[in-house]
Amino acid sequence: MTTLVRGRGWARTHPLAVDAALATAVLVCMVVGSFAEPYGEHGPTWGTRTPDAPSLLLMALGALALVFRRRAPWSVLAATSAASIVELLTGEPRAPVVMCAVIALFTVAARTDRSTTWRIGLVTMTGLTGVAMLSGPLPWYAQENLGIFAWTGMAAAAGDAVRSRRAFVDAIRERAERAERTREEEARRRVAEERLRIARDLHDVVAHHIALVNVQAGVAAHVMDRRPDQAKEALSHVRDASRSALNELRATVGLLRQSGDPEAPTEPAPGLHRLDELVETFRNAGLPVEVALGQVGLDLAAAVDLAAFRIIQEALTNVQRHAGQQAKAEVSVVRVGPNVEVTVIDDGPGPEGNGREAGGAESGDRAAGDGEAGPGESRGGHGLIGMRERATALGGSCSAGPRYGGGFRVHAILPVTTAKGGTA
């Protein structure tokens, strides 16, 4: 830290001491200047005149008032202007008491607005210059009188310039601080969105594969004694589902690694190109699934492709868990204008055979997907909430509810044009 920087820091923390030093310097200059005679026979001469006691008292009072110029600038300006007028009317010869009024006017101009600066500056210049021109032995056009006008005008202009510069610097500092706060808020928002996205992916992966593992493990336990070959096949599906779950979990959690980590995942995110593989896992678990897929996967953005895949995955998982053993599911992905519509329907009455319109167990379980606990659950899941959040994040929508005549329907609309434009 340089001496100049340290000096500025000390001056900011001790303003009264700085003003006292300034007042002392002004007093010395006024006293020294009062001994000079500007109109000598051979030009300005030194020591040819001596100020009287009233002039010395006025100079001391004016310098003392400058000590408080920052605490009460208007009062200091009034006091120094009054002392200057008294000296102009009574001093013979005149002492430079007006120097105190010049500094006080600068302080006021630096602490108020421009219009007020020029109004008070005009009043001060006119008052002091008028009194100097109309009183005393000197003619009105004397250099001393014109000097009063010039010095007061320069003080007002300099104070206004200092105020403008301070306002400019403060505005720049405030914009920089606001930009920093905005950048921090944007970073926090992005972190929260990324956490939510990872949470959705983890939920979809775990819910889907654990449901399949649960179903196949139940089948294996049921037929273990009577049909060991079928139990072996069910355990094979359990192994495949668990391996897929581990791979997807590894890919999802790998997103949290450092960007330079060589073990970071490089494989693409799942999408509609893996729909056949996804449907096959459900068919192996005993859920008949029919698929109607149009030519929509060729021009979809990655975010839309992933959202469509996850919505189908979550909807089929709900069918597998809640629709009953005899349920069938249908998946439809079609392009309708600027949107992709994803529909998953089933005809299952629920695990206890009662229709969902009647408020049976299936209705409770599906409602639990929105975060409300069903009759047979201690707490609700987040499947339907996650599907709606995925669709809403892309500017689309997702609805889910019982079908007329039995079954359940999930319908999502994902805008393609918005995603391709980059907002997805």
Side-chain angles (χ1 to χ4, degrees):
M1 183 180 295
T2 63
T3 304
L4 180 59
V5 174
R6 286 196 297 267
R8 287 180 178 176
W10 183 87
R12 291 191 188 98
T13 57
H14 302 82
L16 190 62
V18 175
D19 291 339
L22 175 64
T24 302
V26 171
L27 178 60
V28 172
C29 292
M30 288 190 297
V31 172
V32 172
S34 63
F35 284 91
E37 173 57 57
Y39 299 104
E41 294 182 0
H42 304 287
T45 57
W46 172 260
T48 57
R49 67 175 184 175
T50 303
D52 52 12
S55 296
L56 292 174
L57 179 60
L58 290 174
M59 286 186 287
L61 292 176
L64 180 62
L66 290 180
V67 177
F68 308 99
R69 68 187 185 95
R70 300 194 200 191
R71 296 188 177 183
W74 291 95
S75 301
V76 172
L77 177 61
T80 54
S81 298
S84 301
I85 292 175
V86 171
E87 174 62 23
L88 292 174
L89 292 175
T90 61
E92 186 58 37
R94 292 174 178 174
V97 182
V98 72
M99 185 182 296
C100 298
V102 170
I103 297 178
L105 178 59
F106 168 83
T107 303
V108 171
R111 290 174 170 267
T112 186
D113 57 274
R114 177 163 296 175
S115 60
T116 304
T117 295
W118 290 114
R119 284 198 298 267
I120 194 64
L122 183 61
V123 171
T124 304
M125 288 188 295
T126 304
L128 295 179
T129 306
V131 172
M133 288 181 176
L134 298 176
S135 64
L138 299 177
W140 67 271
Y141 53 84
Q143 294 181 359
E144 289 185 8
N145 300 335
L146 298 179
I148 294 174
F149 181 83
W151 280 105
T152 51
M154 286 189 295
D160 182 69
V162 170
R163 180 199 55 79
S164 299
R165 183 181 179 279
R166 287 175 181 171
F168 178 72
V169 172
D170 291 341
I172 292 178
R173 184 180 295 109
E174 195 231 343
R175 284 198 297 269
E177 292 175 354
R178 187 169 59 248
E180 184 66 23
R181 288 194 303 269
T182 303
R183 187 160 49 247
E184 293 176 356
E185 292 173 358
E186 178 67 15
R188 286 194 296 267
R189 185 186 64 83
R190 289 181 179 274
V191 169
E193 290 181 351
E194 183 66 13
R195 288 175 177 173
L196 181 60
R197 186 190 66 80
I198 294 175
R200 291 196 198 109
D201 285 343
L202 288 175
H203 171 270
D204 293 342
V205 170
V206 172
H208 164 63
H209 291 289
I210 295 302
L212 295 181
V213 168
N214 181 58
V215 171
Q216 295 292 349
V219 172
H222 182 68
V223 300
M224 179 67 71
D225 297 331
R226 293 176 300 173
R227 302 183 60 181
D229 55 338
Q230 188 175 353
K232 183 178 180 180
E233 181 181 357
L235 292 176
S236 175
H237 291 316
V238 168
R239 182 186 58 191
D240 295 339
S242 60
R243 182 186 299 114
S244 298
L246 289 175
N247 291 335
E248 292 202 34
L249 284 174
R250 185 181 300 111
T252 302
V253 177
L255 297 175
L256 303 176
R257 295 180 181 273
Q258 298 287 342
S259 59
D261 197 326
E263 296 183 5
T266 57
E267 62 183 26
L272 294 179
H273 62 280
R274 293 181 54 186
L275 183 58
D276 293 338
E277 177 183 345
L278 174 67
V279 170
E280 190 63 28
T281 60
F282 285 101
R283 289 171 178 166
N284 292 334
L287 175 65
V289 182
E290 297 182 4
V291 179
L293 179 63
Q295 296 297 323
V296 295
L298 301 178
D299 57 348
L300 286 182
V304 178
D305 198 20
L306 175 61
F309 179 83
R310 292 302 189 193
I311 289 173
I312 296 173
Q313 183 183 51
E314 179 61 30
L316 291 178
T317 302
N318 285 342
V319 174
Q320 179 71 43
R321 294 172 60 188
H322 305 302
Q325 297 181 357
Q326 305 301 324
K328 298 180 181 179
E330 297 180 6
V331 178
S332 172
V333 183
V334 296
R335 177 76 172 267
V336 181
N339 302 321
V340 169
E341 296 191 7
V342 178
T343 306
V344 179
I345 61 175
D346 67 83
D347 57 357
E352 298 183 11
N354 48 352
R356 272 156 279 193
E357 298 83 4
E362 175 67 15
S363 178
D365 289 339
R366 296 299 177 94
D370 286 330
E372 302 174 1
E377 294 183 347
S378 60
R379 60 177 180 174
H382 302 278
L384 297 183
I385 295 178
M387 288 190 284
R388 291 195 181 102
E389 287 178 346
R390 286 184 182 277
T392 304
L394 300 175
S397 62
C398 180
S399 60
R403 296 172 58 203
Y404 180 77
F408 205 79
R409 177 178 183 268
V410 175
H411 181 67
I413 300 177
L414 307 176
V416 178
T417 55
T418 303
K420 292 176 71 175
T423 58

